[in-house]
Amino acid sequence: LGINMLTSLFAGPIDNFLQNRQRARSDPSGDRWTQREAGRLVAAYLCGVPVASIEGTPVEVTPFNRRSGNLPARTELRKTLTTAGTLPNGLSDREARVQAVIQMAGLVAEYRKFGEATLGFRLFRELDSQLQLAERPLDPQEKEDLARFGVTTAYSLLANHDEAVDRVAQGLREGNGMPQLIAAIETAGSS
């Protein structure tokens, strides 16, 4: 019991420390980070999910939960929790699959460019956070299956859009806004 309490108390800070340490030790130009974010942005665009924001240093892409925008705040969403443990206004099975593809596209984009993917725990954590908002509770095996689905589907999706990912990554490094990034996706392969 004591170990469980300590683990839950210190897991977040330790994870953040390790993530920041790994980020500090990674490529100083931010190419890997930017490649991951470009992959997520291209996947969101191709899946029809709008991007809520692009901000920060290093840049971070935040897609909406679903095509129609973000879900209500977690506290509001939790109020709709039924006695069966379902969230009627949560992510549908299809929306959960789309989030799996978007989140895992970051790892796939980095892997396709550099031959390995690093800092994946941030994207797995984000996927897990999204899956906690599903209409029905998902057991650990279903979450793992969704992550695998996300990786394989993102790989297939991005295999045909390497140039778009590279153009978006360059645009993110240059500080371009959404109109220029969308134009980079739409014109990739046309030159």
Side-chain angles (χ1 to χ4, degrees):
L1 180 64
I3 291 175
N4 286 341
M5 288 176 49
L6 283 175
T7 302
S8 63
L9 182 64
F10 293 111
I14 290 171
D15 187 47
N16 288 336
F17 168 77
L18 292 173
Q19 181 177 344
N20 289 335
R21 184 169 178 236
Q22 179 71 23
R23 189 183 305 168
R25 293 175 51 211
S26 66
D27 182 8
S29 67
D31 285 345
R32 286 180 174 276
W33 184 275
T34 306
Q35 197 73 18
R36 281 190 293 272
E37 296 305 298
R40 293 175 67 224
L41 192 148
V42 170
Y45 179 81
L46 294 173
C47 291
V49 175
V51 171
S53 67
I54 300 173
E55 58 191 13
T57 305
V59 67
E60 188 162 348
V61 173
T62 307
F64 281 115
N65 300 110
R66 51 171 49 145
R67 285 183 181 193
S68 59
N70 272 340
L71 294 169
R74 285 182 194 270
T75 53
E76 292 300 313
L77 192 61
R78 299 257 184 248
K79 289 179 185 176
T80 67
L81 187 65
T82 67
T83 55
T86 62
L87 291 170
N89 297 325
L91 293 176
S92 68
D93 286 347
R94 182 193 174 286
E95 290 167 332
R97 286 191 304 273
V98 168
Q99 278 301 317
V101 171
I102 292 170
Q103 299 309 325
M104 296 299 96
L107 297 176
V108 169
E110 181 185 10
Y111 176 80
R112 290 184 60 77
K113 181 76 171 183
F114 299 103
E116 66 178 354
T118 60
L119 289 175
F121 50 85
R122 181 181 71 87
L123 299 175
F124 281 108
R125 186 174 53 202
E126 178 60 27
L127 176 59
D128 187 57
S129 176
Q130 292 292 332
L131 296 180
Q132 289 177 15
L133 302 174
E135 287 176 338
R136 62 183 183 79
L138 299 172
D139 64 43
Q141 184 61 51
E142 288 176 299
K143 288 180 180 182
E144 183 179 323
D145 291 346
L146 278 169
R148 289 173 193 263
F149 170 82
V151 168
T152 56
T153 305
Y155 194 92
S156 297
L157 188 68
L158 295 183
N160 296 319
H161 296 90
D162 279 334
E163 184 182 347
V165 174
D166 289 341
R167 284 186 178 191
V168 169
Q170 183 62 36
L172 289 171
R173 281 190 291 278
E174 294 170 357
N176 292 346
M178 276 305 293
Q180 294 91 353
L181 297 172
I182 290 172
I185 295 169
E186 292 180 347
T187 59
S190 64
S191 47

